[in-house]
Amino acid sequence: MWREGVKNSEFNATIKRQNKGVFILQFRPVNSGAHLFNVWVKGALEKKPIYPEDDPVRLNVLAGSTLITENIYFTIAGMGLQGGEVGTETTFEVSVRGDDKQPRDIETSQLSVCVIAGMQRLTAHCSKKSPGTFIAEFTPSNAGLHTVLVTYAGQEACRAEVTYDKGVEPSKCEIVNPPSSVRVGEQTSFTIQCRTTSGAEVKRGGEKFDVGLSGQAKGVQGLVVRDELTGKYTIRFTLTIAGTYKFFISLHDIPLVGSPFAVTAS
């Protein structure tokens, strides 16, 4: 049964069986506005509603809109759901698909993405990327576990949990492919990947790494630490004298895992 909130009138909908356990409900609203929906199942003694009578399903009917009579499915994915850093803008995608797994276009105004952390509730900015795909953007302000809640037309569509951290954790930063041997006079490089306390990759620059070497002091030329502004840092150097050197790398006076490591020039 449908009840039109605007006119406070009731009318019955038509229910057709599609297959085992699946039924199609059809109705034709005559007014726009809020409609309340419930289904009563006939039992042995009385009819019982599927939803509480004081909390039925609410549907907003828009003037001139097309009624969708199929299931639509929402999913969220992207780097922003893999963790990140407080104060850094985070993005992820919201996808809308139909029973045939093809994109379904919906009104952006009917889509809402909230990020909940304790008593704090943030609303993400949503924009349409393409039909059936939306980009959600927000900046976490507190560290800890967050719940990402997606709603459509006031109803929960999907949710996910993600942890955001305070910042770069030196003990989690990774020295990527450090060289163990190089040729004399040949420029060599390796990278550092910044990570948060939970191990998530940092996506911004601005850190100051201290890089030092022991061994032939005059045998090191062109030592440069380049900030790629993506959470990665490239270290370039040239060893001009044969021998064994040790690299010491630290951030905020805390050595990185794997530091020091030896490099032999020959």
Side-chain angles (χ1 to χ4, degrees):
M1 176 177 288
W2 289 89
R3 175 177 296 162
E4 295 185 333
V6 176
K7 298 296 183 179
N8 197 27
S9 61
E10 296 183 356
F11 57 93
N12 292 322
T14 301
I15 299 178
K16 296 181 179 180
R17 180 174 178 175
Q18 184 181 42
N19 52 52
K20 185 177 181 180
V22 178
F23 296 84
I24 299 297
L25 183 144
Q26 296 176 324
F27 80 105
R28 185 183 298 276
V30 296
N31 296 299
S32 62
H35 289 56
L36 304 178
F37 159 70
N38 213 332
V39 176
W40 277 261
V41 179
K42 186 176 181 180
L45 300 177
E46 60 180 346
K47 291 183 179 180
K48 294 184 178 181
I50 292 179
Y51 302 100
E53 291 195 58
D54 60 349
D55 188 25
V57 175
R58 182 184 181 91
L59 173 69
N60 289 320
V61 177
L62 305 178
S65 64
T66 300
L67 181 66
I68 299 176
T69 57
E70 67 166 351
N71 294 318
I72 54 176
Y73 305 90
F74 292 77
T75 57
I76 48 179
M79 294 298 295
L81 297 178
Q82 298 179 18
E85 184 181 0
V86 169
T88 301
E89 186 176 72
T90 301
T91 64
F92 54 88
E93 287 191 357
V94 180
S95 297
V96 187
R97 299 291 184 268
D99 287 317
D100 57 1
K101 299 183 180 180
Q102 295 302 307
R104 290 295 182 269
D105 202 12
I106 62 173
E107 293 293 332
T108 308
S109 60
Q110 295 290 299
L111 182 67
S112 176
V113 179
C114 292
V115 183
I116 305 167
M119 299 298 292
Q120 186 183 47
R121 188 183 184 97
L122 302 174
T123 300
H125 172 72
C126 293
S127 59
K128 183 180 291 187
K129 178 181 178 181
S130 60
T133 301
F134 299 83
I135 300 296
E137 301 173 310
F138 76 100
T139 301
S141 57
N142 292 324
L145 183 66
H146 292 57
T147 298
V148 179
L149 177 64
V150 179
T151 60
Y152 175 63
Q155 300 295 318
E156 180 177 337
C158 60
R159 65 170 59 202
E161 291 189 340
V162 59
T163 299
Y164 297 101
D165 300 309
K166 290 183 178 180
V168 176
E169 172 54 48
S171 64
K172 296 288 186 177
C173 294
E174 179 184 6
I175 303 174
V176 182
N177 297 323
S180 58
S181 61
V182 300
R183 292 185 178 182
V184 171
E186 186 176 280
Q187 187 182 68
T188 306
S189 66
F190 61 92
T191 60
I192 297 172
Q193 173 65 64
C194 284
R195 297 185 181 275
T196 64
T197 53
S198 65
E201 292 185 357
V202 174
K203 300 300 182 181
R204 53 116 183 127
E207 300 298 332
K208 302 295 182 183
F209 287 91
D210 293 318
V211 180
L213 288 91
S214 66
Q216 298 283 349
K218 295 182 179 180
V220 182
Q221 291 184 357
L223 178 61
V224 176
V225 179
R226 177 184 172 85
D227 186 349
E228 305 294 350
L229 304 178
T230 60
K232 290 184 172 64
Y233 297 76
T234 301
I235 291 84
R236 292 188 176 90
F237 64 95
T238 301
L239 300 180
T240 59
I241 300 176
T244 299
Y245 302 75
K246 276 191 176 182
F247 274 82
F248 296 83
I249 305 175
S250 63
L251 177 63
H252 309 316
D253 295 325
I254 301 175
L256 271 60
V257 175
S259 174
F261 62 90
V263 178
T264 300
S266 57

